[in-house]
Amino acid sequence: SLRVPPKPAANPYKAQREALPVFSYRERILETIASNQVVVIEGDTGCGKSTQLPQYVLEAAAAEGRPCSVLCTQPRRISAMGVADRVAAERGERVGDAVGYAIRLESKTSAATCCLFCTTGILMRRLADEAESTGGLGGDLDSEGAQQRLAGVTHLFVDEVHERSMESDFLLMVLRDLLARRPDLRLILMSATLDANLFADYFAAERVKADEWGSDGDADPWGDDDDPRGLEMPTSSSRRGGRRRGGKGGATPKAADASTERSAASARGAVADTPP
């Protein structure tokens, strides 16, 4: 059953976690996830998105006393096991307690597990098993049947979403249909490199340019003229008939991307795409 996640037993890697580029944007990322059903996040390898974002969601839920269950997919078995090990270690816990993993023929979970790392295949198998009792994997679902899909899961992270395959593409098809009937479910797509617009358009999401950081983790790697962080975060207004807003100086999203591209050689980036 859905429960409030426990607070971390310890924080032995506090300094290392706070040194990661993604840490500076913790609150903005949490706010974006809370206010949008679908979020697409792009960040370079090593920025901390795979290990930190699920923890941010858990920690925020624990602090607020809010029930939460996080499911994170990885394209490979070794990735699911490795990320689970790291996240558990950063919480000062053992794998199989609050943080667990499930891969083919092996799993480490318990009744206390509220953050599960698994392969894409494991998630597809769960959806297929649930479909047997709710009328198939297609979109012909009533509200009661939809609530039985991924029951108890509040946040679903799909990592390395750019690694396209028949299995992953089919998963996104199923999730798009499910999201329309599970407004309580949050979907976060993550990758080090992807066509953000492609996924944003597929999920009827408006693209939102988040912040960028320097490759060395400096707080302000650019001057005022070319600082992409000066761009406003567009509001999700298209569903209400509004227009997308541009960035600083009235720049359009296309112009904003061009400004960012000039600094890309020395930057680590994060792009969050949210639906209207």
Side-chain angles (χ1 to χ4, degrees):
S1 61
L2 194 58
R3 66 185 69 186
V4 177
K7 294 182 179 181
N11 194 1
Y13 297 93
K14 184 176 185 294
Q16 292 92 324
R17 292 185 64 196
E18 293 182 356
L20 291 170
V22 73
F23 178 75
S24 299
Y25 310 100
R26 181 181 187 275
E27 295 307 319
R28 176 171 290 189
I29 291 172
L30 286 173
E31 290 172 1
T32 304
I33 292 174
S35 58
N36 298 275
Q37 191 176 20
V38 181
V39 178
V40 181
I41 298 179
E42 179 183 355
D44 284 352
T45 300
C47 71
K49 60 186 183 300
S50 298
T51 59
Q52 301 307 302
L53 298 192
Q55 290 193 76
Y56 293 165
V57 170
L58 286 180
E59 291 164 355
E64 298 168 6
R66 174 170 41 83
C68 177
S69 178
V70 176
L71 181 61
C72 309
T73 72
Q74 292 287 336
R76 289 170 294 277
R77 302 172 63 186
I78 190 66
S79 300
M81 297 171 63
V83 177
D85 283 338
R86 178 63 187 185
V87 171
E90 289 184 355
R91 290 174 56 90
E93 302 169 353
R94 299 177 304 173
V95 176
D97 293 336
V99 179
Y101 68 81
I103 60 176
R104 186 165 59 92
L105 304 180
E106 183 180 350
S107 67
K108 281 191 176 182
T109 62
S110 67
T113 300
C114 55
C115 182
L116 178 67
F117 291 87
C118 68
T119 58
T120 304
I122 291 294
L123 177 57
M124 287 300 301
R125 170 51 56 189
R126 173 174 174 173
L127 287 167
D129 290 343
E130 293 172 344
E132 293 182 2
S133 59
T134 56
L137 281 172
D140 296 332
L141 276 175
D142 55 23
S143 58
E144 182 179 354
Q147 290 301 320
Q148 297 177 29
R149 301 284 178 88
L150 300 183
V153 176
T154 60
H155 295 76
L156 174 58
F157 288 82
V158 180
D159 203 359
E160 306 297 347
V161 73
H162 70 281
E163 296 192 11
R164 304 283 299 279
S165 66
M166 289 181 61
E167 186 177 63
S168 65
D169 283 357
F170 188 63
L171 173 62
L172 295 182
M173 291 170 57
V174 174
L175 292 177
R176 186 174 68 168
D177 289 337
L178 180 59
L179 288 171
R181 298 164 175 82
R182 281 283 312 273
D184 59 312
L185 180 63
R186 293 293 185 265
L187 174 64
I188 301 94
L189 307 175
M190 303 190 298
S191 177
T193 173
L194 73 149
D195 184 349
N197 284 328
L198 175 67
F199 292 96
D201 292 343
Y202 183 74
F203 284 96
E206 179 179 353
R207 184 175 184 182
V208 176
K209 172 72 72 177
D211 296 334
E212 300 215 357
W213 41 73
S215 58
D216 57 358
D218 289 343
D220 190 11
W222 292 283
D224 291 338
D225 292 339
D226 272 344
D227 189 349
R229 294 175 299 166
L231 299 174
E232 293 182 5
M233 213 170 183
T235 57
S236 300
S237 58
S238 61
R239 179 171 295 175
R240 298 185 297 272
R243 296 185 302 171
R244 297 183 186 180
R245 295 187 301 171
K248 181 173 64 176
T252 64
K254 183 176 181 180
D257 288 345
S259 174
T260 301
E261 186 176 353
R262 291 196 297 269
S263 303
S266 63
R268 290 184 182 274
V271 174
D273 288 356
T274 59

